[in-house]
Amino acid sequence: HVCICVLKSTSSQFDAVLWMLASGALFTAHVALGKFLSNNYEPGLLAFFRSIIALVWVAPFLMRMKLSQFKTDHMGLIITRSLFGTAGFLLAFYSYSAEFGIPLSQFNAISFSRSLFIVILAATLLKETVGPRRWIATAIGFIGVIVMVRPSSGIELGSVLALGSALCFGGAIILVKTLSRFHSPLVLLTYANLLSAVLTLPVAIVQWKTPDNFQDISLIALMALAGVLAQSCY
């Protein structure tokens, strides 16, 4: 019986690793598309497009669900999670936009620091046990982040925004970990994108530009799809 439990646990962890790898690949595709589109569209507008079109992609699945499944006693946490997530996406779009323009490789490297923030937040907020090896690895990771940001040669604003994005995503992920005990991933995904669309709407109105060609429309739709799939895998 013990052997069966261990095998199940190992299999479950292996599945989780595969989901994380898929999420990382999809998130990279999402970022690359956002970087390309930022040449023609403002970051706040891209964040709005991403959220509102993500709801279109999940609409067929939502139609199969009952409204009672969206009832929640944790709206405060859901709103806080959406605030973190929206801020993370906005800061990300701005960090590699044409205005601030850090290289995509630099943004992607800095974005992995969210894993380091998650370790700290998991220990402080979720009270998870973090052993000495993980603390040492986290400390080494932050040294690597300092090297990437290169404070000795002057910190780029884009790098600071990317670091802020990683911190916000770390907070959002911690709250998803908590909320997933009460709601399915699809419910959390829907709330996140719906509230994000509402939060970014004022910025989108100011920066509005209607996509006027098939290529831009297709790439924006693909960016939203990659983003919503990355969230789902996570």
Side-chain angles (χ1 to χ4, degrees), residues 156-187:
E156 296 174 285
L157 182 55
S159 295
V160 175
L161 294 175
L163 199 58
S165 172
L167 174 59
C168 289
F169 280 136
I173 290 165
I174 286 294
L175 289 171
V176 166
K177 172 74 172 177
T178 302
L179 289 165
S180 62
R181 288 181 287 179
F182 311 108
H183 299 290
S184 70
L186 184 56
V187 169

Side-chain angles (χ1 to χ4, degrees), residues 102-117 137-163 166:
I102 64 171
L104 196 59
S105 58
Q106 184 176 339
F107 168 81
N108 220 26
I110 294 174
S111 72
F112 285 116
S113 65
R114 67 179 179 270
S115 300
L116 309 177
F117 289 119
T138 301
I140 294 172
F142 274 115
I143 292 173
V145 171
I146 292 173
V147 172
M148 284 186 288
V149 174
R150 295 175 297 178
S152 60
S153 60
I155 299 177
E156 296 174 285
L157 182 55
S159 295
V160 175
L161 294 175
L163 199 58

Side-chain angles (χ1 to χ4, degrees), residues 191-210:
Y191 271 123
N193 285 289
L194 179 61
L195 292 172
S196 184
V198 172
L199 290 168
T200 56
L201 179 59
V203 183
I205 291 173
V206 174
Q207 300 179 346
W208 190 263
K209 177 183 177 181
T210 302

Side-chain angles (χ1 to χ4, degrees), residues 3-228:
C3 289
I4 292 173
C5 287
V6 170
L7 287 172
K8 285 184 176 179
S9 176
T10 303
S11 175
S12 177
Q13 290 176 350
F14 181 72
D15 290 345
V17 169
L18 292 179
W19 284 117
M20 285 295 296
L21 288 172
S23 177
L26 289 162
F27 181 73
T28 301
H30 169 267
V31 169
L33 289 166
K35 172 72 172 177
F36 180 80
L37 288 163
S38 67
N39 292 323
N40 298 316
Y41 300 92
E42 293 291 332
L45 181 58
L46 285 177
F48 173 76
F49 282 153
R50 182 212 165 279
S51 299
I52 202 72
I53 297 175
L55 293 173
V56 176
W57 281 117
V58 300
F61 303 97
L62 296 178
M63 292 177 182
R64 303 177 185 177
M65 300 179 67
K66 298 179 180 178
L67 286 176
S68 58
Q69 291 178 263
F70 290 89
K71 184 179 179 181
T72 180
D73 296 322
H74 310 280
M75 186 54 73
L77 286 177
I78 288 175
I79 292 173
T80 304
R81 178 255 179 274
S82 295
L83 288 171
F84 272 119
T86 302
F89 280 116
L90 280 172
L91 290 172
F93 279 124
Y94 273 103
S95 70
Y96 54 72
S97 67
E99 184 177 357
F100 300 106
I102 64 171
L104 196 59
S105 58
Q106 184 176 339
F107 168 81
N108 220 26
I110 294 174
S111 72
F112 285 116
S113 65
R114 67 179 179 270
S115 300
L116 309 177
F117 289 119
I118 288 171
V119 172
I120 297 172
L121 293 172
T124 55
L125 299 181
L126 300 183
K127 308 302 180 185
E128 290 187 0
T129 302
V130 179
R133 286 182 297 179
R134 289 186 182 179
W135 281 122
I136 292 172
T138 301
I140 294 172
F142 274 115
I143 292 173
V145 171
I146 292 173
V147 172
M148 284 186 288
V149 174
R150 295 175 297 178
S152 60
S153 60
I155 299 177
E156 296 174 285
L157 182 55
S159 295
V160 175
L161 294 175
L163 199 58
S165 172
L167 174 59
C168 289
F169 280 136
I173 290 165
I174 286 294
L175 289 171
V176 166
K177 172 74 172 177
T178 302
L179 289 165
S180 62
R181 288 181 287 179
F182 311 108
H183 299 290
S184 70
L186 184 56
V187 169
L188 295 178
L189 195 68
T190 303
Y191 271 123
N193 285 289
L194 179 61
L195 292 172
S196 184
V198 172
L199 290 168
T200 56
L201 179 59
V203 183
I205 291 173
V206 174
Q207 300 179 346
W208 190 263
K209 177 183 177 181
T210 302
D212 56 1
N213 61 76
F214 180 75
Q215 176 180 296
D216 284 2
I217 294 171
S218 300
L219 292 178
I220 289 171
L222 284 174
M223 179 190 69
L225 179 60
V228 76

